[in-house]
């Protein structure tokens, strides 16, 4: 029986060669998109699996329980600075609780040569939790000694040209001399310790004590008690390894963490946030979700890949259903010879299963080759073994069952119930439903249309973001990577010397790097009542000439001036109960949050900032005078509205603004760069110059979004291609079935042109309806996407109209030849049997 079914299936494939090719093409690409997305999800789930006890390693996250008043996102994996220390005291039965910084670019010098490296500061227990294998130096799991570092194997090769670099020294941030104590072997399994994003690709690991000492010195310089717990600083990850001997229930532990928050966090935070745990293998995506406003990029790709597979499945099912209408005579003969309905259903279900099996064999071979090539390229954790995932095959099995049910069981059941008289007609009748065909075609183009709208929106958003770049139009800006507080000369002296060259237009300072995904926030109010309703706005601590250097235009008012002493906001040690008003500059968003019509209307008005006097830690409201108004800042990436931060406020405080930014003339770039390097070497010969163009910083942050937009564009094009060639295949069936109708209409006087318009309209109608329905869905999804960014594209009607027009044009092009052939048919040829 199986042999007979196989023979009949192969005959059908050879009889309908074009449609078999279309089905193979559409299903293959659908399965490839789905499998790749699924393997990517499996890949991320496999993170940290090489470490012992990996299923009991968790990260602490902040849960927002205070609504919008909490001023932060939910499931935020970057927690308060003192948390690990207090957690170790509160949970003495858990020995391994460790704090680690985010991946951060640091300046180092080796034998006088400057480099940027990605570094992470870690506490001692970190390598107890993650006992990495070393090839030189420290033993596995051994903590890093003071003023030492562990370096990745490939980073050692890049920086020193060899791997055995134990004992080599480097100067970190021009202030800390460290020796390399060990070389970490390249990880052979995926891990957040070495992943292809700047946050998770450290070159070196350093003791947390180095960062703590640096922060302590900075706080002393600012007149702040260095021993005060800084709960407002959310800058680190906290890892917890649950001991094997400890009875552990996640929900019960969450309650203990809530008790911890109530017992240890400042009173003003207890009702706003709590702590929970997430498995460590979710850390990468939780952190990237922070960048993307809570959206999981992997889930987006999985969803898009599933949609492409759905288009392919619907396309296959539609063609098989139409195909059976032309096999109705074959089915009628089988019924006359005694075949039962159940046997017919079994036969055509087997045919669908066989075809899908052939398609899967092709797909798996292609996927195997691709994974093998990626494995040869030394991509960690990627290889053909990924295809052995049980969850992948369970998902594929579910999809195959659905395809067989729709493309095998259902059409066979419909065809088998048609009267024999109808089935024995020359053109046959398979109980084929034109309405169902239209619905299935419509669903395909609804999905592909939605994806195309998203591709257009992403393209527009990419354009909106890249318009902020200097490119060849604006004067380029340089960020000096060496912190200002490590200069051996005063920043003012260096700035004055740099400005002496005509190629250097202006020099300023900021405490936040352009295109940074971090933000600092302060509380602001219209009254000096500390209990009054306030808003949280982002704060930029800057130096003079900030607006000129960063190409930000004043809408009203003035910029900070060296001639006005009250423009300078005092250091914490100089802040008193009385003083001010001090000057600030507002953007439109912060001004509107404070109740002004615009930032221009706020100029000359008084607002208040919540601050703290170090002596006694007394909270006060500092009076501020709005001296300038701007529309918005440039070189911003994330819209921090989801964090409760509304707009930005500029405050003049050069002592905190630790990054120097130089604006140079686009007409004189090479000479200006030479002057900057010469001046630097003359004034600070012992400190290597480290500089980066602002435009280059953009790529480091935005590349992940460019990758997602390219992936969505490719998927949308594949979806349209699959739906369109499926429509072409459908057209060959439908026009064949409707030839008698066309012949009768021609006998009644219809012209070929009129019939062509009728056929094209019938094919285009479900596509137009589907794309019309896709417009509101695409608008909601597109609007949610662009809301992630500080610079947003204008979401006009054009992406939706273009998507609709393209869909109709592609659909018409796909069916035009078949429709024209049908419209020109000779009535005598199609009506001679009646």
């Amino acid at each position: 029986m199986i042999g007979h079914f196989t023979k009949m299936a192969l005959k059908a494939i050879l009889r309908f060669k074009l449609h078999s090719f279309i089905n193979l093409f559409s299903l293959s690409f659908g399965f490839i998109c789905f499998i790749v997305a699924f393997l990517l999800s499996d890949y991320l789930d496999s993170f940290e699996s090489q470490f012992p006890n990996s299923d009991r390693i968790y990260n602490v996250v902040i849960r927002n329980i205070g609504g919008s008043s909490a001023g932060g996102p939910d499931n935020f994996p970057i927690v308060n600075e003192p948390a690990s220390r207090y957690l170790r005291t509160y949970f003495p039965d858990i020995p391994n609780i460790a704090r680690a910084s985010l991946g951060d670019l640091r300046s180092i010098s080796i034998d006088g040569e400057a480099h940027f490296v990605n570094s992470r500061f870690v506490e001692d227990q970190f390598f107890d939790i993650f006992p990495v294998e070393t090839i030189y130096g420290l033993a596995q799991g051994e903590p890093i000694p003071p003023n030492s570092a562990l370096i990745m194997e490939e980073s050692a090769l890049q920086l020193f040209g060899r791997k055995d670099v134990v004992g080599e020294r480097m100067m970190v941030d021009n202030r800390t001399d460290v020796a390399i104590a060990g070389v970490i072997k390249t990880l052979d399994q995926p891990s957040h310790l070495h992943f292809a994003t700047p946050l998770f690709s450290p070159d070196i690991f350093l003791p947390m004590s180095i960062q703590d000492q640096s922060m302590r010195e900075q706080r002393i310089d600012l007149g702040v008690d260095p021993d005060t717990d800084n709960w407002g600083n959310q800058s680190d990850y906290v890892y917890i390894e649950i001991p094997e001997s400890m009875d552990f229930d996640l929900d019960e532990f969450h309650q203990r963490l809530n008790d911890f928050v109530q017992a240890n966090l400042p009173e003003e935070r207890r009702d706003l946030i709590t702590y929970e745990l997430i498995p460590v293998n979710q850390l990468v995506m939780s952190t990237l979700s922070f960048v993307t406003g809570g959206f999981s990029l992997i889930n987006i790709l999985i969803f898009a890949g599933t949609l492409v597979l759905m288009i392919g499945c619907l396309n296959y099912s539609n063609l098989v259903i139409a195909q059976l209408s032309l096999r109705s005579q074959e089915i009628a003969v089988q019924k006359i010879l005694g075949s039962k309905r159940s046997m017919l259903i079994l036969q055509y279900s087997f045919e669908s299963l066989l075809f899908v099996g052939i398609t899967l064999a092709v797909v798996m071979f292609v996927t195997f080759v691709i994974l093998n090539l990626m494995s040869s390229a030394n991509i960690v954790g990627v290889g053909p073994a990924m295809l052995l995932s049980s969850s992948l095959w369970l998902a594929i099995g579910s999809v195959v069952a659905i395809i067989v049910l729709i493309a095998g069981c259902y059409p066979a059941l419909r065809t088998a119930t048609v009267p024999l008289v109808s089935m024995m007609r020359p053109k046959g009748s398979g109980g084929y439903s034109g309405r169902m065909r239209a619905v299935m075609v419509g669903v395909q183009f609804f999905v592909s249309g939605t994806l195309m709208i998203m591709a257009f929106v992403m393209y527009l958003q990419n354009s909106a973001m890249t318009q902020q770049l200097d490119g060849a139009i604006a004067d380029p800006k340089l960020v000096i990577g060496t912190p200002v507080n490590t200069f051996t000369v005063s920043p003012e002296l260096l700035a004055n010397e740099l400005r002496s060259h005509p190629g250097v237009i202006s020099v300023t300072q900021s405490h936040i790097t352009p295109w940074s995904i971090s933000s600092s926030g302060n509380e602001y109010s219209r009254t000096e009542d500390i209990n009054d309703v306030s808003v949280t706005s982002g704060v930029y601590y800057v130096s003079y000439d900030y607006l000129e250097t960063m190409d930000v235009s004043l809408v009203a008012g003035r910029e900070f001036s060296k001639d006005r002493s009250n423009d300078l906001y005092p250091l914490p040690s100089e802040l008193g109960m009385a003083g001010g008003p001090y000057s600030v500059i507002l953007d439109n968003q912060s001004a509107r949050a404070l109740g002004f019509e615009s930032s221009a209307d706020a100029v000359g008005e008084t607002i208040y900032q919540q601050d703290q006097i170090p002596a006694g830690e007394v909270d006060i409201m500092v009076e501020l005078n709005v001296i300038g108004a701007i529309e918005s800042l440039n070189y911003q990436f994330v819209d921090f509205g989801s964090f409760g931060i509304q707009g930005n406020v500029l405050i003049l405080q050069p002592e905190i603004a630790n990054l120097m930014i130089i604006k140079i003339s686009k007409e004189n770039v090479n000479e200006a760069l030479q002057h900057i390097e010469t001046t630097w070497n003359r004034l600070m010969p012992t400190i290597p110059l480290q500089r980066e163009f602002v435009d280059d910083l953009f790529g480091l942050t935005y590349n992940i979004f460019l990758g997602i937009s390219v992936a969505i564009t490719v998927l949308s094009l594949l979806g349209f291609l699959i739906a369109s060639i499926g429509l072409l295949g459908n057209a060959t069936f439908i026009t064949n079935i409707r030839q008698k109708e066309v012949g009768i209409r021609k006998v009644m006087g219809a012209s070929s042109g009129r019939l062509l318009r009728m056929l094209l309209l019938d094919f285009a109608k479900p596509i137009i309806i589907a794309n019309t329905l896709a417009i509101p869905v695409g608008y909601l999804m597109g609007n949610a996407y662009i809301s992630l960014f500080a610079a947003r594209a204008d979401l006009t009607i054009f992406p939706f109209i273009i998507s609709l027009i393209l869909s109709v044009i592609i659909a018409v092009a796909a069916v035009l030849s078949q429709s024209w052939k049908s419209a020109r048919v000779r009535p005598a040829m199609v009506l001679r049997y009646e």
Side-chain angles (χ1 to χ4, degrees):
M1 182 176 67
I2 296 298
H4 174 70
F5 287 172
T6 303
K7 183 178 179 181
M8 297 298 291
L10 293 176
K11 282 185 176 181
I13 291 174
L14 294 175
R15 178 184 173 187
F16 302 101
K17 297 181 181 67
L18 173 63
H19 310 98
S20 297
F21 172 78
I22 291 173
N23 285 332
L24 181 65
F25 177 87
S26 58
L27 276 180
S28 295
F29 275 103
F31 271 119
I32 286 174
C33 292
F34 176 75
I35 289 172
V36 168
F38 204 95
L39 289 179
L40 183 58
S41 176
D42 267 2
Y43 177 77
L44 292 172
D45 287 340
S46 70
F47 270 44
E48 325 309 337
S49 59
Q50 71 268 38
F51 295 113
N53 212 22
S54 60
D55 59 338
R56 296 175 74 86
I57 302 174
Y58 295 86
N59 277 91
V60 179
V61 298
I62 293 178
R63 291 298 310 273
N64 182 346
I65 60 174
S68 59
S69 61
D74 206 17
N75 277 343
F76 192 41
I78 303 171
V79 298
N80 314 86
E81 179 189 318
S84 63
R85 178 160 41 89
Y86 279 83
L87 283 167
R88 282 192 289 270
T89 302
Y90 196 84
F91 295 101
D93 51 340
I94 303 178
N96 288 337
I97 299 176
R99 165 174 155 243
S101 69
L102 284 72
D104 186 24
L105 282 176
R106 295 274 169 172
S107 62
I108 66 167
S109 59
I110 302 172
D111 296 331
E113 184 178 352
H115 304 273
F116 271 123
V117 297
N118 206 338
S119 64
R120 293 196 73 185
F121 294 94
V122 297
E123 291 184 327
D124 289 345
Q125 296 88 346
F126 183 83
F127 287 111
D128 291 333
I129 300 174
F130 302 106
V132 294
E133 183 179 352
T134 55
I135 57 175
Y136 298 104
L138 293 181
Q140 185 177 38
E142 192 174 346
I144 308 174
N147 291 335
S148 297
L150 287 180
I151 188 169
M152 299 299 297
E153 179 181 355
E154 56 269 34
S155 301
L157 276 172
Q158 182 179 359
L159 294 172
F160 295 94
R162 64 185 194 280
K163 295 181 180 180
D164 186 2
V165 294
V166 174
E168 294 287 348
R169 310 195 73 84
M170 62 178 67
M171 185 70 69
V172 179
D173 286 341
N174 302 305
R175 68 164 71 202
T176 307
D177 183 29
V178 301
I180 297 177
V183 180
I184 299 174
K185 181 182 178 182
T186 300
L187 302 178
D188 55 6
Q189 293 295 324
S191 171
H192 79 287
L193 300 184
H194 196 65
F195 185 59
T197 66
L199 288 175
F200 300 111
S201 57
D203 298 296
I204 59 173
F205 291 88
L206 299 159
M208 183 62 76
S209 58
I210 293 177
Q211 177 173 279
D212 288 343
Q213 181 60 31
S214 175
M215 294 296 297
R216 182 180 180 86
E217 292 172 1
Q218 289 182 35
R219 299 187 76 182
I220 292 173
D221 292 341
L222 295 174
V224 177
D225 183 359
D227 298 317
T228 303
D229 291 328
N230 189 7
W231 288 99
N233 181 17
Q234 293 178 205
S235 58
D236 301 308
Y237 295 120
V238 172
Y239 302 85
I240 293 181
E241 181 183 19
I242 305 300
E244 288 283 357
S245 58
M246 178 179 174
D247 291 332
F248 178 73
D249 178 79
L250 188 60
D251 292 334
E252 184 271 337
F253 197 83
H254 284 167
Q255 182 56 53
R256 294 180 66 187
L257 284 174
N258 188 57
D259 295 340
F260 164 81
V261 168
Q262 296 301 315
N264 292 280
L265 266 66
E267 184 176 355
E268 65 271 12
R269 296 179 179 271
R270 296 172 192 167
D271 295 329
L272 300 179
I273 65 171
T274 191
Y275 288 165
E276 288 188 359
L277 300 182
I278 61 168
V280 69
N281 65 350
Q282 297 179 13
L283 178 61
V284 172
M285 295 315 303
S286 295
T287 305
L288 293 180
S289 294
F290 145 65
V291 178
T292 58
F295 290 95
S296 170
L297 299 179
I298 298 303
N299 287 341
I300 291 174
L301 285 179
I302 292 174
F303 182 66
T306 303
L307 289 180
V308 174
L309 176 60
M310 184 178 119
I311 294 172
C313 293
L314 287 173
N315 186 60
Y316 171 69
S317 300
N318 212 355
L319 287 178
V320 169
I321 292 171
Q323 188 182 104
L324 282 184
S325 68
L326 298 183
R327 297 177 64 185
S328 57
Q329 288 180 315
E330 173 189 327
I331 298 173
V333 171
Q334 289 178 287
K335 292 179 68 175
I336 291 172
L337 294 176
S339 292
K340 295 181 180 180
R341 183 183 303 175
S342 58
M343 187 63 65
L344 292 172
I345 294 174
L346 180 61
Q347 175 186 339
Y348 292 105
S349 296
F350 175 80
E351 287 188 11
S352 292
L353 182 62
L354 179 64
F355 188 86
V356 174
I358 293 172
T359 304
L360 270 177
V362 173
V363 167
M364 286 301 171
F365 176 75
V366 172
T367 308
F368 176 87
V369 171
I370 293 173
L371 290 175
N372 196 49
L373 290 174
M374 295 176 72
S375 177
S376 301
N378 296 321
I379 300 177
V380 175
V382 176
M386 298 175 71
L387 294 176
L388 300 178
S389 166
S390 57
S391 58
L392 171 65
W393 285 102
L394 180 62
I396 290 175
S398 301
V399 172
V400 170
I402 294 172
I403 294 174
V404 170
L405 183 65
I406 296 176
C409 293
Y410 172 75
L413 180 62
R414 286 291 302 266
T415 305
T417 57
V418 176
L420 284 174
V421 175
S422 299
M423 298 178 69
M424 291 301 293
R425 290 174 179 169
K427 294 300 179 184
S429 175
Y432 185 75
S433 170
R435 180 176 299 176
M436 182 178 181
R437 172 193 63 80
V439 169
M440 295 177 77
V441 169
V443 171
Q444 291 179 67
F445 277 91
F446 169 78
V447 173
S448 59
T450 303
L451 287 174
M452 181 163 282
I453 289 172
M454 281 303 300
F456 276 118
V457 170
M458 288 180 170
Y459 171 78
L460 292 174
Q461 181 56 46
N462 291 342
S463 299
M465 291 296 292
T466 54
Q467 282 175 7
Q468 298 184 77
L469 296 176
D470 295 330
I473 300 174
D475 294 312
K477 288 86 184 171
L478 285 176
V479 175
I480 302 300
T482 308
V484 168
N485 60 6
T486 65
F487 287 4
T488 56
V489 298
S490 71
E492 292 81 8
L493 173 61
L494 176 62
N496 289 333
E497 291 290 325
L498 293 176
R499 292 191 196 99
S500 65
H501 190 277
V504 175
I505 298 174
S506 60
V507 182
T508 191
Q509 294 167 225
S510 172
H511 88 295
I512 294 179
T513 308
W515 301 117
S516 174
I517 59 172
S518 63
S519 177
S520 301
N522 279 344
E523 299 290 325
Y524 296 92
S525 175
R526 294 285 295 274
T527 72
E528 58 182 332
D529 184 355
I530 200 167
N531 298 313
D532 198 6
V533 176
S534 61
V535 300
T536 302
S537 293
V539 58
Y540 275 69
Y541 296 107
V542 301
S543 183
Y544 300 100
D545 301 322
Y546 181 81
L547 297 184
E548 179 186 0
T549 304
M550 305 305 288
D551 291 335
V552 180
S553 301
L554 276 169
V555 175
R558 63 177 179 84
E559 196 172 355
F560 299 117
S561 171
K562 293 181 180 179
D563 299 329
R564 299 173 182 258
S565 60
N566 266 22
D567 280 3
L568 190 65
Y569 195 87
L571 294 173
S573 59
E574 301 167 353
L575 196 62
M577 294 295 294
Y582 305 108
S583 301
V584 294
I585 298 174
L586 303 185
D587 67 3
N588 268 337
Q589 190 177 358
S590 61
R592 288 169 183 154
L594 285 165
F596 299 105
E597 288 292 325
S598 67
S599 56
D601 293 326
V603 174
E605 298 292 336
T606 298
I607 62 174
Y608 296 87
Q609 173 179 292
Q610 184 174 333
D611 212 327
Q612 194 175 76
I613 298 177
E617 300 181 14
V618 179
D619 289 330
I620 62 172
M621 297 298 285
V622 180
E623 184 179 357
L624 305 173
N625 180 39
V626 181
I627 64 165
I630 60 175
E631 288 282 348
S632 61
L633 293 175
N634 294 330
Y635 311 107
Q636 288 196 301
F637 177 53
V638 178
D639 181 359
F640 287 95
S642 61
F643 294 74
I645 295 177
Q646 303 178 70
N648 294 292
V649 176
L650 301 184
I651 293 179
L652 182 65
Q653 201 169 57
E655 292 83 355
I656 294 178
N658 216 22
L659 292 166
M660 180 170 282
I661 305 173
I662 306 169
K663 179 180 178 180
I664 61 179
S665 171
K666 64 178 182 293
E667 309 294 339
N668 207 6
V669 173
N670 291 333
E671 291 82 354
L673 292 177
Q674 183 62 44
H675 169 70
I676 292 170
E677 185 171 347
T678 301
T679 303
W680 181 279
N681 292 334
R682 175 168 54 85
L683 296 178
M684 293 182 285
T686 60
I687 300 178
L689 172 63
Q690 299 187 10
R691 57 177 174 80
E692 196 83 23
F693 281 104
V694 166
D695 282 4
D696 293 335
L697 296 175
F698 171 79
L700 292 175
T701 306
Y702 199 67
N703 277 345
I704 187 170
F705 284 92
L706 290 176
I708 292 296
S709 64
V710 169
I712 294 297
T713 300
V714 171
L715 290 173
S716 69
L717 292 175
L718 279 176
F720 255 112
L721 180 61
I722 292 170
S724 299
I725 65 173
L727 190 63
L728 170 63
N730 246 300
T732 62
F733 285 118
I734 305 310
T735 53
N736 190 35
I737 291 172
R738 297 185 66 179
Q739 280 188 0
K740 183 174 69 174
E741 174 195 343
V742 170
I744 294 173
R745 287 181 181 273
K746 295 199 78 169
V747 169
M748 299 300 294
S751 65
S752 295
R754 184 174 180 181
L755 290 170
L756 176 64
R757 289 193 297 271
M758 178 196 73
L759 291 171
L760 290 178
L761 181 61
D762 285 349
F763 282 115
K765 191 181 299 180
I767 297 167
I768 294 173
I769 294 173
N771 277 270
T772 302
L773 294 176
I775 288 176
V777 177
Y779 174 80
L780 293 175
M781 294 173 63
N783 197 53
Y785 179 77
I786 65 174
S787 67
L788 303 176
F789 303 95
R792 301 179 182 179
D794 294 327
L795 199 56
T796 64
I797 193 65
F798 291 108
F800 310 101
I801 298 300
I802 292 173
S803 174
L804 176 60
I805 293 173
L806 281 178
S807 298
V808 174
I809 290 175
I810 292 172
V812 169
V815 302
L816 182 60
S817 62
Q818 288 296 323
S819 298
W820 177 242
K821 180 180 177 181
S822 181
R824 295 190 63 192
V825 72
R826 293 171 58 189
M829 297 299 294
V830 296
L831 298 177
R832 59 183 175 179
Y833 294 104
E834 296 299 329

